[in-house]
Amino acid sequence: MSEQKKNQNVNPDTEELTEEGLSEQRRIRREKLKNLQEAGRNPYLVEKWDINAYSQDIKDRFEEMDGKEVSIAGRMMAKRGMGKASFIDIQDSKGRIQCHVKKDVLGEEEYKWFKTSDIGDLFGIVGKVFQTQRGEITVEVSKMVLLSKSLQVLPNKWHGLKDTDIRYRQRYVDLIMNQDVKDTFIKRAAIIKEIKRVLEEDFGYLEVDTPILTTIAGGANARPFETHHNTLDLDMKLRISNELYLKRLVVGGLDRVYEMGKMFRNEGMDRNHNPEFTSMECYMAYEDMEKTMEVTEQVVSKAALKATGSMVIEYQGKKFDLTPPWRRLRMSDAVKEITGVDFDQIQTDEEARTAAIGQGMDKDEVQEMTRGKILAEMFEEYCEDVPGYLDGPVFVVGHPVEISPLAKRDPEDPRITRRFEAYINGWEIANAFSELNDPIDQYERFKEQQAQLDDGSDDEAHPMDEDFVNALEVGLPPTGGLGIGIDRVIMLITNAPSIRDIILFPTMKPLDSDSKKAKKPAAAAPEKIDFSNVEIEPLFEDMVDFDTFSKSDFRAVKIKECEAVPKSKKLLKFVLDDGTDEDRVILSGIHDYYEPEELVGKTAIAIVNLPPRKMMGIDSCGMLISAVHHEKGEERLHLLMVDDHIPAGAKLY
């Protein structure tokens, strides 16, 4: 048994510490720092330490390193006293190595100061490499210098922390305590490097940079973040895509360009979505959608091979063979396979609406939809969530023109476009087109999308971009364009259950945000509310008997979780505590009025005895109650929320 195993390589100072105990430990560490500074040993004055070896390299090359002097540096993660000698573990960027600190070698004075050190302190160490009798490769310390004092107490058992979100909030501690987390981000870097290598060396793309701050958030259908440029007094947006700038460069003669960088979308958050995410887009002149399929296959499969040594990856217990070529699936064939509705036989909008209603889609929602829009909606609602159906890898092709404002029409069927989406594990990981280069067609599509923005029917429609139309008038060659969601690809390759696990600093709500709101000074006078413009629906004239009314089971419910439903602009998905032992899921179309984060923890009112209703492929078991009125021609909605003292499951009479 090695010394490391024998002594259980733990931090005894933090074992079973209460909050009060942690505070006391931090106070003691500050006192130690003060003593060091008063003795002229201020660690924060040290500027550098020369390193010539790393932990894992020493272990891997022990026969060569045995007996040689090395200079290492790192964080002390374990300390085991043995009278006049101690063993410590030093963790550097490549792993851990044991060090042997002896009083008669270090000297009485230095050993005295060493004994006051704490887990987490950073040291520079010089010593000779040897192997203990128990076989542990170790550094015999001849010199050690405190390079930085840790004033915080590192957790002893990371998974024992009560607040699991702290792993994301304090990623620096997560990286220290969990080697597998560090390995994930090392793999992330390797994956990104390999993707760039494939694009540049195998396909000849040139890496470029395009603006992040823009006046028009184009290239995708999504809600942007908005900001303001003070000097120019100009409202601006963070980019949701870099597509339109990259195609401008192709117009300018840069035939093969790509950019990998951050995109920003002011939308819901869940395990697959973060408001700030990494995307790669590339454009190849004189090529088409077929060529971008090859690029997609090569980029993803070779990234997996580089990171894992295989093109067969395992994600959450399922295996996916990424070896090219990948399967192709027409969107209309998918809808036919799952629902039985054959869009090849449907020619009119009215026929499509009838078919959609027959499948359970909301009559009011589909009444204004076209045939193409309904095809896309049925694919999203009935096909995307079928377990295993889009495990892939698979290319879904045949997207309607209505949802593809930047793609060429299919010459054999102008109702659809030359576009594909790539799916793995049911997730869309790539989107690509034979790019639309007809400026007249592009202008008309932008015009139609801008009208939807203006009338409020689709707040994620693509805005008019007249400069981009002008670029197309200059002349865009036939071009194949591709966008890949890098974070999702990395999740799959690294077997990460959440996007937060592969983003170093994911977007998080500040812990003190609620208390800051509470600390805001109270208004000097009660708010005066003007109800003069309020219009309410006429009261029902038909009477309902008490027995019928009492059959509706109104209950107080606690909102445990709330998230936006992917690909739905209006729906929020609620996970509710209704006073039973089982969570209740209800979907409600109130995203226009509330963001998910602000509703978590609130107490609402719901009818809980309605039959399940499928919405976007999810069973909604009940109805949350809202108050609705009209004001100045606009609908206003308020989710009915009540005092948090009311327990979950309390019945309304």
Side-chain angles (χ1 to χ4, degrees):
M1 182 184 294
S2 69
E3 283 86 345
Q4 188 174 21
K5 291 180 180 177
K6 177 182 177 182
N7 291 281
Q8 291 298 306
N9 197 14
V10 298
N11 177 359
D13 292 342
T14 63
E15 199 161 338
E16 305 298 334
L17 280 180
T18 63
E19 184 61 36
E20 182 180 350
L22 287 169
S23 298
E24 177 64 12
Q25 285 293 324
R26 289 193 287 267
R27 185 190 64 78
I28 292 171
R29 290 188 180 212
R30 287 180 179 269
E31 287 182 359
K32 290 180 179 180
L33 173 62
K34 183 179 179 182
N35 293 337
L36 286 164
Q37 292 171 330
E38 289 176 349
R41 292 173 171 266
N42 188 348
Y44 303 139
L45 296 180
V46 181
E47 291 190 61
K48 62 174 293 184
W49 183 263
D50 292 325
I51 298 171
N52 62 20
Y54 292 89
S55 57
Q56 193 58 46
D57 296 336
I58 294 171
K59 294 177 180 179
D60 292 342
R61 299 162 48 205
F62 173 68
E63 291 186 5
E64 175 188 342
M65 304 290 288
D66 189 13
K68 290 188 176 180
E69 185 175 83
V70 295
S71 178
I72 63 174
R75 189 179 301 275
M76 185 171 70
M77 298 300 293
K79 181 181 180 183
R80 304 174 289 279
M82 300 174 64
K84 296 182 179 180
S86 299
F87 283 102
I88 63 173
D89 285 351
I90 292 294
Q91 179 171 294
D92 60 19
S93 62
K94 294 189 177 182
R96 290 191 188 189
I97 191 164
Q98 180 172 265
C99 297
H100 191 211
V101 187
K102 297 173 67 176
K103 181 178 180 180
D104 58 359
V105 174
L106 203 60
E108 186 171 343
E109 179 71 8
E110 293 299 320
Y111 194 76
K112 180 194 75 173
W113 285 106
F114 158 71
K115 288 177 69 175
T116 69
S117 62
D118 294 297
I119 300 299
D121 289 352
L122 289 146
F123 284 99
I125 289 175
V126 175
K128 290 184 178 180
V129 178
F130 77 104
Q131 193 170 39
T132 67
Q133 292 180 349
R134 298 183 183 276
E136 187 82 13
I137 296 172
T138 306
V139 174
E140 185 73 71
V141 179
S142 59
K143 177 183 178 182
M144 66 188 306
V145 175
L146 181 62
L147 304 178
S148 185
K149 179 68 180 170
S150 176
L151 300 180
Q152 283 285 358
V153 181
L154 293 178
N156 179 34
K157 297 178 181 178
W158 187 249
H159 295 291
L161 292 179
K162 294 180 180 179
D163 183 1
T164 55
D165 279 356
I166 200 170
R167 291 186 55 243
Y168 308 128
R169 297 182 187 280
Q170 298 184 14
R171 183 68 82 185
Y172 42 90
V173 181
D174 192 19
L175 291 166
I176 292 169
M177 302 306 299
N178 288 318
Q179 182 61 40
D180 59 338
V181 172
K182 183 183 289 186
D183 291 343
T184 292
F185 288 103
I186 291 172
K187 280 185 180 178
R188 179 186 175 105
I191 290 167
I192 289 174
K193 184 177 181 180
E194 180 66 4
I195 290 172
K196 290 186 173 186
R197 187 203 66 77
V198 172
L199 290 170
E200 294 175 12
E201 296 181 12
D202 296 357
F203 293 99
Y205 285 98
L206 173 71
E207 185 175 16
V208 296
D209 294 308
T210 63
I212 292 175
L213 275 177
T214 67
T215 54
I216 298 174
N221 288 30
R223 184 184 301 171
F225 286 94
E226 298 183 352
T227 186
H228 186 79
H229 192 294
N230 291 333
T231 302
L232 297 177
D233 191 20
L234 183 66
D235 290 334
M236 303 192 77
K237 299 172 175 63
L238 297 182
R239 67 183 179 189
I240 57 174
S241 167
N242 46 9
E243 175 172 346
L244 302 189
Y245 281 106
L246 291 172
K247 285 196 279 193
R248 285 174 170 93
L249 297 179
V250 177
V251 170
L254 298 179
D255 285 352
R256 298 188 178 191
V257 292
Y258 84 94
E259 182 177 14
M260 188 182 300
K262 293 290 186 182
M263 306 298 152
F264 308 87
R265 296 186 182 179
N266 195 359
E267 298 174 341
M269 298 167 60
D270 56 37
R271 71 171 190 158
N272 289 340
H273 295 86
N274 193 66
E276 176 184 356
F277 63 97
T278 301
S279 175
M280 187 286 297
E281 295 201 25
C282 59
Y283 294 84
M284 183 183 293
Y286 310 109
E287 287 292 355
D288 61 3
M289 180 184 81
E290 308 297 327
K291 187 66 174 180
T292 62
M293 283 185 172
E294 179 188 345
V295 175
T296 307
E297 292 169 337
Q298 292 298 314
V299 161
V300 177
S301 63
K302 288 184 177 177
L305 182 64
K306 182 70 174 180
T308 69
S310 173
M311 289 188 182
V312 179
I313 61 172
E314 183 170 334
Y315 184 78
Q316 304 297 297
K318 293 196 291 186
K319 290 187 177 181
F320 306 96
D321 188 349
L322 306 181
T323 306
W326 297 356
R327 182 170 70 99
R328 300 188 187 191
L329 173 67
R330 292 171 67 227
M331 182 179 286
S332 57
D333 287 341
V335 171
K336 182 179 178 181
E337 287 178 18
I338 299 301
T339 70
V341 177
D342 187 355
F343 272 82
D344 290 338
Q345 303 301 317
I346 293 176
Q347 304 302 321
T348 67
D349 295 342
E350 192 55 44
E351 288 176 318
R353 291 168 191 151
T354 301
I357 294 168
Q359 289 296 313
M361 292 184 69
D362 188 276
K363 181 179 180 180
D364 294 333
E365 288 186 7
V366 303
Q367 65 179 354
E368 299 298 328
M369 290 185 184
T370 62
R371 172 190 177 278
K373 182 69 171 175
I374 290 172
L375 169 60
E377 290 289 331
M378 290 188 71
F379 174 76
E380 290 181 5
E381 184 158 344
Y382 300 119
C383 301
E384 287 191 336
D385 293 329
V386 174
Y389 185 65
L390 294 176
D391 272 0
V394 58
F395 293 121
V396 174
V397 299
H399 293 68
V401 169
E402 290 92 328
I403 63 165
S404 310
L406 299 166
K408 275 184 181 285
R409 294 177 188 266
D410 189 313
E412 297 181 4
D413 185 351
R415 298 174 301 180
I416 62 174
T417 57
R418 295 281 291 152
R419 173 186 177 186
F420 72 77
E421 291 176 300
Y423 285 82
I424 303 175
N425 190 42
W427 303 348
E428 178 197 335
I429 59 117
N431 188 21
F433 316 138
S434 288
E435 300 294 336
L436 177 63
N437 60 347
D438 179 342
I440 298 172
D441 190 358
Q442 183 67 85
Y443 179 81
E444 291 302 320
R445 294 198 211 178
F446 277 168
K447 186 177 178 181
E448 182 178 340
Q449 295 259 315
Q450 183 64 53
Q452 294 175 21
L453 274 177
D454 293 340
D455 66 21
S457 60
D458 186 353
D459 60 0
E460 294 183 357
H462 200 293
M464 173 63 73
D465 189 336
E466 293 188 357
D467 181 75
F468 178 69
V469 174
N470 184 70
L472 294 187
E473 290 181 348
V474 172
L476 173 69
T479 299
L482 166 68
I484 294 179
I486 298 299
D487 295 317
R488 289 189 182 178
V489 171
I490 293 172
M491 283 177 67
L492 289 166
I493 294 175
T494 62
N495 195 20
S498 168
I499 194 171
R500 292 182 173 186
D501 293 316
I502 52 88
I503 295 178
L504 279 168
F505 298 101
T507 304
M508 303 287 288
K509 183 178 181 180
L511 288 172
D512 60 351
S513 59
D514 291 335
S515 62
K516 285 183 177 178
K517 289 179 182 178
K519 291 178 181 177
K520 289 183 178 179
E527 179 187 1
K528 293 183 178 179
I529 303 174
D530 181 9
F531 290 117
S532 61
N533 294 313
V534 169
E535 300 173 16
I536 62 171
E537 294 184 14
L539 300 182
F540 284 111
E541 295 183 359
D542 295 338
M543 294 296 180
V544 179
D545 63 75
F546 282 101
D547 287 340
T548 301
F549 170 76
S550 65
K551 291 177 182 178
S552 296
D553 194 4
F554 290 84
R555 300 281 179 157
V557 291
K558 303 287 185 181
I559 301 173
K560 298 173 64 176
E561 300 174 24
C562 183
E563 64 183 26
V565 176
K567 298 191 176 180
S568 173
K569 297 182 289 294
K570 295 183 178 180
L571 287 176
L572 293 179
K573 176 185 174 184
F574 293 83
V575 178
L576 305 166
D577 175 5
D578 61 6
T580 66
D581 293 331
E582 295 185 5
D583 290 340
R584 176 179 295 273
V585 174
I586 293 180
L587 276 67
S588 184
I590 62 173
H591 200 179
D592 286 341
Y593 307 95
Y594 295 96
E595 288 303 316
E597 307 85 51
E598 64 183 296
L599 297 175
V600 175
K602 303 295 186 182
T603 304
I605 300 298
I607 302 176
V608 296
N609 64 334
L610 296 174
R613 178 188 179 194
K614 195 169 285 294
M615 303 172 72
M616 296 296 287
I618 304 170
D619 280 340
S620 178
C621 301
M623 179 184 294
L624 286 165
I625 305 302
S626 297
V628 178
H629 70 273
H630 287 78
E631 193 170 334
K632 296 181 179 178
E634 294 184 3
E635 183 179 84
R636 304 290 177 89
L637 178 145
H638 302 273
L639 180 65
L640 187 59
M641 292 181 277
V642 296
D643 194 297
D644 289 336
H645 289 91
I646 300 175
K651 183 175 176 62
L652 270 66
Y653 286 94

